[in-house]
């Protein structure tokens, strides 16, 4: 059984079956975006996760100890990005898991579920930060500008180091690139906390702390909302972001020998692999192989790696009863 799956992601697998009612079913993987697990990337991700978890724990504690929602907000943001690092590492590890009789697609979808959970936690953190910031406006804040500057200054070093670690593989994998961009934005947020801490020291206006907290909450909301929306869509097998279904169908109709395209479904198998099924009515069923290859080439251009196409003759009445 293991031998049968040995080259699952390296060779194209096609199966065709002609039915007496005049349609052909074809399954193909196209040109897969195949990734091998890179131990070096895994090690860098683990180091980055450990460093950031230690910093997040310290920042939460010091933010609570020094009554700074700015620090706690920054820690929440950093915690969300630790989640993105975990997702990135998990995505690599799941590539090693083989499909079985229960999970015929393997565990690719787990990356989508992890992204959804991560985005939900981020949105919950936004609500908590806003609640705490409003409380600080009402009851006042005793935040220490010096403490904020020191802690966030350390954050600049931690986030900067993580950004450097992830920059090595950012151009080779979208998950690593996403984590890299998150950590780069974290570095900029920490710079903002340092600035606000300095202003508190100079002016004594501690209300600047909840202002920074609200600003960070807004940044998290903007960054996490798109992640939440897209991960929810993918969890419900919606059309992945970046694929215009109407435009795709029009391009498929432009392929030679294609007369009609219907029952088109596109969904995400993981955060990096998309799949499609469709019924293709052709003018000449005897030339379906050439038509299939042209369609698969087009779909690969739209980042659709897996496709299952059912070809039908002009006279075939598709009622989709089965």
């Amino acid at each position: 059984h293991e031998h049968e799956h040995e080259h699952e992601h390296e060779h194209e697998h096609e199966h065709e079956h002609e039915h007496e009612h005049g349609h052909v079913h074809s399954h193909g993987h196209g040109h897969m975006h195949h990734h091998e697990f890179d131990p070096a990337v895994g090690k860098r991700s683990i180091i980055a996760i450990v460093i950031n978890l230690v910093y997040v724990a310290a920042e939460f504690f010091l933010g609570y100890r020094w009554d700074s929602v700015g620090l706690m907000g920054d820690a929440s943001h950093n915690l969300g990005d630790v989640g993105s690092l975990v997702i990135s590492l998990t995505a690599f590890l799941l590539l090693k898991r083989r499909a079985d009789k229960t999970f015929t697609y393997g565990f690719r979808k787990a990356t989508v579920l992890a992204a959804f959970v991560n985005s939900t936690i981020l949105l919950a953190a936004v609500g908590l930060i806003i609640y705490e910031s409003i409380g600080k406006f009402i009851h006042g804040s005793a935040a220490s500008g010096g403490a904020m500057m020191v802690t966030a200054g350390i954050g600049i070093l931690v986030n900067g180091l993580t950004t450097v670690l992830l920059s090595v593989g950012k151009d080779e994998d979208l998950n690593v690139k996403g984590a890299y961009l998150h950590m780069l934005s974290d570095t900029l947020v920490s710079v903002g906390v340092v600035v606000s801490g300095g202003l508190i020291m100079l002016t004594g206006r501690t209300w600047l702390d909840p202002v920074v907290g609200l600003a960070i909450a807004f940044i998290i909301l903007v960054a996490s909302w798109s992640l939440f929306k897209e991960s929810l869509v993918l969890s419900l097998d919606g059309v992945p972001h970046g694929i215009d279904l109407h435009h795709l169908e029009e391009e498929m109709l432009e392929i030679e020998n294609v007369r009609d395209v219907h029952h088109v479904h596109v969904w995400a198998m993981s955060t990096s692999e998309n799949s499609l099924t469709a019924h293709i009515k052709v003018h000449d069923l005897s030339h379906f192989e050439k038509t299939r290859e042209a369609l698969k080439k087009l779909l690969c251009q739209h980042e659709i790696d897996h496709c299952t196409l059912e070809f039908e003759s002009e006279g075939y009445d598709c009622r989709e009863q089965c």
Side-chain angles (χ1 to χ4, degrees), residues 45 48 85 161-170 176 179-180 183:
S45 297
L85 291 173
L161 175 60
T162 306
T163 302
V164 172
L165 283 171
L166 297 174
S167 65
V168 179
K170 68 181 177 66
V176 177
Y180 164 81
M183 298 313 302

Side-chain angles (χ1 to χ4, degrees), residues 220-239:
I220 300 173
L221 180 62
V222 172
S224 59
W225 180 252
S226 59
L227 176 64
F228 172 78
K229 184 172 66 173
E230 179 64 13
S231 60
L232 178 60
V233 169
L234 297 185
S235 298
L236 298 174
D237 286 338
V239 177

